[in-house]
Amino acid sequence: MASEITYAEVKFKNASPAAEVKVPPKTKKREHHPQKYPPWLPWLISLLLLLVCIALAIALLVAPFCHSSDQPTALQQKFMEWQCMSTMSQSKEQGWKCCPKDWKLFQKSCYYLSTDKLSWVESEQNCTGMGSHLVVINSKAEQNFLSKELQKLKNGENYYIGLKAREVEQWHWVDQTPFNETAAFWRKGEPNDMDDENCVVIHRFSNLPNNWNNVGCWNHHRICEAAAVTV
């Protein structure tokens, strides 16, 4: 007799169901999108920087002259290009002294050494037209400075200064400064008493400091002088 196999479903009391593993939900990573700028922005920044540079250049060149005086001097009205040198005043504040381009600065004055020749009268008119006058020499330091500057030149022998005789040996400066014989710088044997030699030049090839010569008032080079612009 064959044996029977019986199947039965058995449930155990208090059996715990299989542990359920909970997986935390996946967090979405934030996507990094680079901030986009308009394509014209770099050009705008470059333009602004250029304008700032131009403004600074104008301020450095023009502003000093605007503050130097309410009314520009005749020299300022005649020239557009200037050269300035830093100075230190007695109050220890930094300032600038300015001369037209190609003029020489010494102390408080600017000097123009001409490359052409004119008569004494024409020379004074030329200086006046530039807002200056033929140079008036007031000190040995000024005399030495001008003489050394002339010696650097390659051309020219005689350079007019602003000294002239109305009568023989009656010398007068063009700006009415009193003539001081003890502060004159005549060459040896000068001035002579020739009636036709009423104008005075610096002789470039003479030794310092005594290099003044009285000459006829025909064509020579000239030295013009004007007050430096202080800013």
Coordinates of all heavy atoms in Angstrom, one line a residue, residues 92-141:
K92 N 56.9 123.3 2.1 CA 57.1 121.9 1.9 C 56.0 121.3 1.1 O 55.9 120.1 1.0 CB 57.3 121.2 3.2 CG 58.4 121.7 4.1 CD 59.7 121.6 3.4 CE 60.9 122.1 4.3 NZ 62.2 122.1 3.7
E93 N 55.2 122.1 0.4 CA 54.1 121.6 -0.4 C 54.7 121.5 -1.8 O 55.3 122.4 -2.3 CB 52.9 122.5 -0.4 CG 52.2 122.5 1.0 CD 51.0 123.4 1.0 OE1 50.7 124.0 -0.1 OE2 50.3 123.5 2.0
Q94 N 54.3 120.3 -2.5 CA 54.8 120.1 -3.8 C 54.1 121.0 -4.8 O 52.9 121.2 -4.7 CB 54.7 118.7 -4.2 CG 55.3 118.3 -5.6 CD 55.3 116.9 -5.9 OE1 54.6 116.1 -5.2 NE2 55.9 116.5 -6.9
G95 N 54.8 121.6 -5.7 CA 54.3 122.4 -6.8 C 54.9 122.2 -8.1 O 55.8 121.3 -8.2
W96 N 54.6 122.9 -9.1 CA 55.1 122.8 -10.4 C 55.4 124.1 -11.0 O 54.7 125.1 -10.8 CB 54.1 122.0 -11.3 CG 53.8 120.7 -10.9 CD1 52.9 120.3 -10.0 CD2 54.5 119.5 -11.3 NE1 52.9 118.9 -9.8 CE2 53.8 118.4 -10.6 CE3 55.5 119.2 -12.2 CZ2 54.2 117.1 -10.8 CZ3 55.8 117.9 -12.5 CH2 55.2 116.8 -11.7
K97 N 56.5 124.2 -11.8 CA 56.9 125.4 -12.5 C 56.9 125.0 -14.0 O 57.6 124.0 -14.3 CB 58.2 126.0 -12.1 CG 58.1 126.7 -10.7 CD 59.4 127.5 -10.4 CE 59.3 128.1 -9.0 NZ 58.2 129.0 -8.8
C98 N 56.2 125.7 -14.8 CA 56.0 125.3 -16.2 C 56.5 126.4 -17.2 O 56.3 127.6 -16.9 CB 54.5 125.0 -16.5 SG 53.8 123.8 -15.3
C99 N 57.1 125.9 -18.3 CA 57.5 126.7 -19.4 C 57.0 126.2 -20.7 O 56.7 125.0 -20.8 CB 59.1 126.8 -19.4 SG 59.9 127.6 -18.1
P100 N 56.9 127.0 -21.7 CA 56.5 126.5 -23.0 C 57.6 125.5 -23.5 O 58.7 125.5 -23.1 CB 56.6 127.8 -23.9 CG 56.4 128.9 -23.0 CD 57.0 128.5 -21.7
K101 N 57.1 124.6 -24.3 CA 58.0 123.5 -24.8 C 59.2 124.2 -25.5 O 59.1 125.1 -26.3 CB 57.3 122.6 -25.8 CG 58.1 121.5 -26.3 CD 57.3 120.6 -27.3 CE 58.1 119.4 -27.8 NZ 57.4 118.6 -28.8
D102 N 60.4 123.6 -25.3 CA 61.7 124.0 -25.8 C 62.3 125.3 -25.2 O 63.3 125.8 -25.6 CB 61.6 124.2 -27.3 CG 61.3 122.9 -28.1 OD1 61.7 121.9 -27.6 OD2 60.6 123.0 -29.1
W103 N 61.6 125.9 -24.2 CA 62.1 127.0 -23.4 C 62.9 126.4 -22.2 O 62.7 125.2 -21.8 CB 61.1 127.9 -22.9 CG 60.4 128.7 -23.9 CD1 59.9 128.3 -25.1 CD2 60.2 130.2 -23.9 NE1 59.4 129.4 -25.8 CE2 59.5 130.5 -25.1 CE3 60.4 131.2 -23.0 CZ2 59.1 131.8 -25.4 CZ3 60.1 132.5 -23.2 CH2 59.4 132.8 -24.4
K104 N 63.8 127.2 -21.6 CA 64.7 126.7 -20.5 C 64.1 127.3 -19.2 O 63.9 128.5 -19.2 CB 66.1 127.1 -20.7 CG 66.7 126.7 -22.1 CD 66.8 125.2 -22.2 CE 67.4 124.9 -23.6 NZ 67.5 123.4 -23.8
L105 N 64.0 126.5 -18.2 CA 63.6 126.9 -16.9 C 64.8 127.1 -16.0 O 65.6 126.3 -15.8 CB 62.6 125.9 -16.3 CG 62.2 126.2 -14.8 CD1 61.3 127.4 -14.8 CD2 61.4 125.0 -14.3
F106 N 64.8 128.3 -15.3 CA 65.8 128.6 -14.3 C 65.1 129.4 -13.2 O 64.6 130.5 -13.5 CB 67.0 129.3 -14.8 CG 68.0 129.6 -13.8 CD1 68.8 128.6 -13.2 CD2 68.2 130.9 -13.3 CE1 69.7 128.9 -12.2 CE2 69.2 131.2 -12.4 CZ 69.9 130.2 -11.8
Q107 N 65.1 128.9 -12.0 CA 64.4 129.6 -10.8 C 63.0 129.9 -11.2 O 62.2 129.0 -11.4 CB 65.3 130.8 -10.4 CG 66.6 130.3 -9.8 CD 67.5 131.5 -9.4 OE1 67.2 132.7 -9.6 NE2 68.6 131.2 -8.7
K108 N 62.7 131.2 -11.3 CA 61.3 131.6 -11.6 C 61.0 132.0 -13.0 O 60.0 132.6 -13.3 CB 60.9 132.7 -10.6 CG 60.9 132.3 -9.1 CD 60.5 133.4 -8.2 CE 60.5 133.0 -6.8 NZ 60.1 134.1 -5.9
S109 N 62.0 131.8 -13.9 CA 61.9 132.3 -15.2 C 62.0 131.3 -16.3 O 62.6 130.2 -16.1 CB 62.9 133.4 -15.5 OG 62.6 134.6 -14.7
C110 N 61.4 131.5 -17.5 CA 61.6 130.7 -18.7 C 62.4 131.5 -19.7 O 62.2 132.7 -19.9 CB 60.2 130.3 -19.2 SG 59.1 129.5 -18.1
Y111 N 63.2 130.8 -20.5 CA 64.1 131.5 -21.4 C 64.0 130.8 -22.8 O 64.0 129.6 -22.9 CB 65.6 131.5 -20.9 CG 65.8 132.1 -19.6 CD1 65.7 131.3 -18.4 CD2 66.0 133.5 -19.5 CE1 65.9 131.9 -17.2 CE2 66.2 134.0 -18.2 CZ 66.1 133.3 -17.1 OH 66.3 133.8 -15.8
Y112 N 63.9 131.7 -23.8 CA 63.9 131.2 -25.2 C 65.2 131.6 -25.9 O 65.5 132.8 -25.9 CB 62.7 131.7 -25.9 CG 62.8 131.5 -27.4 CD1 62.5 130.2 -27.9 CD2 63.0 132.5 -28.3 CE1 62.6 130.0 -29.3 CE2 63.1 132.3 -29.7 CZ 62.8 131.0 -30.2 OH 62.9 130.8 -31.5
L113 N 66.0 130.6 -26.4 CA 67.2 130.9 -27.1 C 66.9 130.8 -28.6 O 66.6 129.7 -29.1 CB 68.3 130.0 -26.7 CG 68.5 129.8 -25.1 CD1 69.6 128.8 -24.8 CD2 68.8 131.1 -24.5
S114 N 67.0 131.9 -29.3 CA 66.5 131.8 -30.7 C 67.5 131.1 -31.6 O 68.7 131.0 -31.4 CB 66.3 133.3 -31.2 OG 67.5 133.9 -31.6
T115 N 67.0 130.6 -32.7 CA 67.8 130.0 -33.8 C 68.0 130.9 -35.0 O 68.8 130.6 -35.9 CB 67.1 128.7 -34.2 OG1 65.8 128.9 -34.7 CG2 67.1 127.6 -33.1
D116 N 67.2 132.0 -35.0 CA 67.3 132.9 -36.1 C 67.8 134.3 -35.6 O 68.0 134.5 -34.4 CB 65.9 133.2 -36.8 CG 64.9 133.7 -35.8 OD1 65.0 133.4 -34.6 OD2 64.0 134.5 -36.3
K117 N 68.1 135.2 -36.6 CA 68.7 136.5 -36.2 C 67.7 137.6 -36.6 O 67.1 137.5 -37.6 CB 70.0 136.6 -37.0 CG 71.1 135.7 -36.5 CD 72.4 136.0 -37.3 CE 73.5 135.0 -37.0 NZ 74.8 135.3 -37.7
L118 N 67.7 138.6 -35.7 CA 66.9 139.8 -36.0 C 67.7 141.0 -35.4 O 68.6 140.8 -34.6 CB 65.5 139.7 -35.3 CG 64.6 138.6 -35.8 CD1 63.4 138.6 -34.9 CD2 64.1 138.9 -37.2
S119 N 67.3 142.2 -35.8 CA 67.8 143.4 -35.2 C 67.4 143.5 -33.8 O 66.5 142.7 -33.4 CB 67.4 144.6 -36.0 OG 66.0 144.9 -35.8
W120 N 68.0 144.4 -33.0 CA 67.6 144.5 -31.6 C 66.1 144.8 -31.4 O 65.4 144.3 -30.6 CB 68.5 145.5 -30.9 CG 68.4 145.5 -29.4 CD1 69.1 144.8 -28.5 CD2 67.4 146.1 -28.6 NE1 68.7 144.9 -27.2 CE2 67.6 145.8 -27.2 CE3 66.3 147.0 -28.8 CZ2 66.8 146.2 -26.2 CZ3 65.5 147.4 -27.8 CH2 65.8 147.1 -26.5
V121 N 65.7 145.8 -32.2 CA 64.3 146.3 -32.2 C 63.3 145.1 -32.5 O 62.3 144.8 -31.9 CB 64.0 147.5 -33.1 CG1 62.5 147.8 -33.1 CG2 64.8 148.7 -32.5
E122 N 63.7 144.4 -33.6 CA 62.8 143.3 -34.1 C 62.9 142.2 -33.0 O 61.9 141.5 -32.8 CB 63.3 142.8 -35.4 CG 63.1 143.8 -36.6 CD 63.7 143.3 -37.9 OE1 64.8 142.7 -37.8 OE2 63.2 143.6 -38.9
S123 N 64.0 142.0 -32.4 CA 64.2 140.9 -31.4 C 63.2 141.2 -30.2 O 62.5 140.3 -29.7 CB 65.6 140.9 -30.9 OG 66.5 140.4 -31.9
E124 N 63.2 142.5 -29.8 CA 62.3 142.8 -28.6 C 60.8 142.7 -29.1 O 60.0 142.2 -28.3 CB 62.6 144.3 -28.2 CG 61.7 144.8 -27.1 CD 61.6 143.9 -25.8 OE1 62.5 143.1 -25.6 OE2 60.7 144.1 -25.0
Q125 N 60.5 143.0 -30.3 CA 59.1 142.9 -30.8 C 58.8 141.4 -30.8 O 57.6 141.0 -30.5 CB 59.0 143.5 -32.1 CG 59.1 145.1 -32.1 CD 59.1 145.7 -33.5 OE1 59.3 145.0 -34.5 NE2 58.9 147.0 -33.6
N126 N 59.7 140.6 -31.3 CA 59.5 139.1 -31.3 C 59.2 138.6 -29.9 O 58.3 137.8 -29.7 CB 60.6 138.4 -32.0 CG 60.5 136.9 -32.0 OD1 61.1 136.2 -31.2 ND2 59.7 136.4 -33.0
C127 N 60.0 138.9 -29.0 CA 59.8 138.5 -27.6 C 58.5 138.9 -27.1 O 57.7 138.1 -26.5 CB 61.0 139.0 -26.7 SG 62.6 138.2 -27.1
T128 N 58.2 140.2 -27.3 CA 56.9 140.8 -26.8 C 55.7 140.0 -27.4 O 54.7 139.7 -26.7 CB 56.8 142.2 -27.1 OG1 57.9 142.9 -26.5 CG2 55.5 142.8 -26.6
G129 N 55.8 139.7 -28.7 CA 54.8 138.9 -29.3 C 54.6 137.5 -28.8 O 53.5 136.9 -28.9
M130 N 55.5 137.0 -28.1 CA 55.4 135.7 -27.4 C 55.0 135.8 -26.0 O 55.1 134.8 -25.2 CB 56.7 134.9 -27.6 CG 57.0 134.5 -29.0 SD 58.4 133.3 -29.1 CE 59.8 134.3 -28.5
G131 N 54.7 137.0 -25.5 CA 54.4 137.2 -24.1 C 55.6 137.3 -23.2 O 55.5 137.0 -22.0
S132 N 56.7 137.8 -23.7 CA 58.0 137.8 -23.0 C 58.7 139.1 -23.3 O 58.1 140.1 -23.8 CB 58.9 136.6 -23.3 OG 59.2 136.6 -24.6
H133 N 60.0 139.2 -23.0 CA 60.8 140.4 -23.3 C 62.2 139.9 -23.4 O 62.6 138.8 -22.9 CB 60.6 141.5 -22.3 CG 60.9 141.1 -20.9 ND1 62.2 140.8 -20.4 CD2 60.1 140.8 -19.8 CE1 62.2 140.5 -19.1 NE2 60.9 140.4 -18.7
L134 N 63.1 140.7 -24.0 CA 64.5 140.4 -24.0 C 65.0 140.2 -22.6 O 64.6 141.0 -21.7 CB 65.3 141.4 -24.7 CG 65.3 141.4 -26.3 CD1 66.0 142.6 -26.9 CD2 65.9 140.1 -26.8
V135 N 65.9 139.3 -22.3 CA 66.2 138.9 -21.0 C 66.8 140.0 -20.2 O 67.6 140.8 -20.7 CB 67.2 137.7 -21.0 CG1 68.5 138.0 -21.7 CG2 67.5 137.2 -19.6
V136 N 66.4 140.1 -18.9 CA 67.0 141.1 -18.0 C 67.8 140.2 -16.9 O 67.1 139.4 -16.2 CB 65.9 141.9 -17.3 CG1 66.5 142.8 -16.2 CG2 65.2 142.8 -18.3
I137 N 69.1 140.4 -16.9 CA 69.9 139.6 -16.0 C 70.1 140.3 -14.7 O 70.6 141.4 -14.6 CB 71.3 139.3 -16.7 CG1 71.0 138.5 -18.0 CG2 72.2 138.5 -15.7 CD1 72.3 138.3 -18.8
N138 N 69.7 139.6 -13.6 CA 69.7 140.2 -12.3 C 70.7 139.6 -11.3 O 70.8 140.2 -10.2 CB 68.3 140.1 -11.6 CG 67.2 140.8 -12.4 OD1 67.3 142.0 -12.7 ND2 66.2 140.0 -12.9
S139 N 71.4 138.6 -11.7 CA 72.3 137.9 -10.7 C 73.4 137.2 -11.4 O 73.2 136.8 -12.6 CB 71.5 137.0 -9.8 OG 71.0 135.8 -10.5
K140 N 74.4 136.9 -10.7 CA 75.5 136.1 -11.3 C 75.1 134.7 -11.6 O 75.5 134.1 -12.6 CB 76.7 136.1 -10.3 CG 77.9 135.4 -10.9 CD 79.1 135.5 -10.0 CE 80.4 134.9 -10.5 NZ 81.5 135.0 -9.6
A141 N 74.2 134.1 -10.8 CA 73.7 132.8 -11.0 C 72.9 132.7 -12.3 O 73.1 131.8 -13.1 CB 72.7 132.4 -9.8

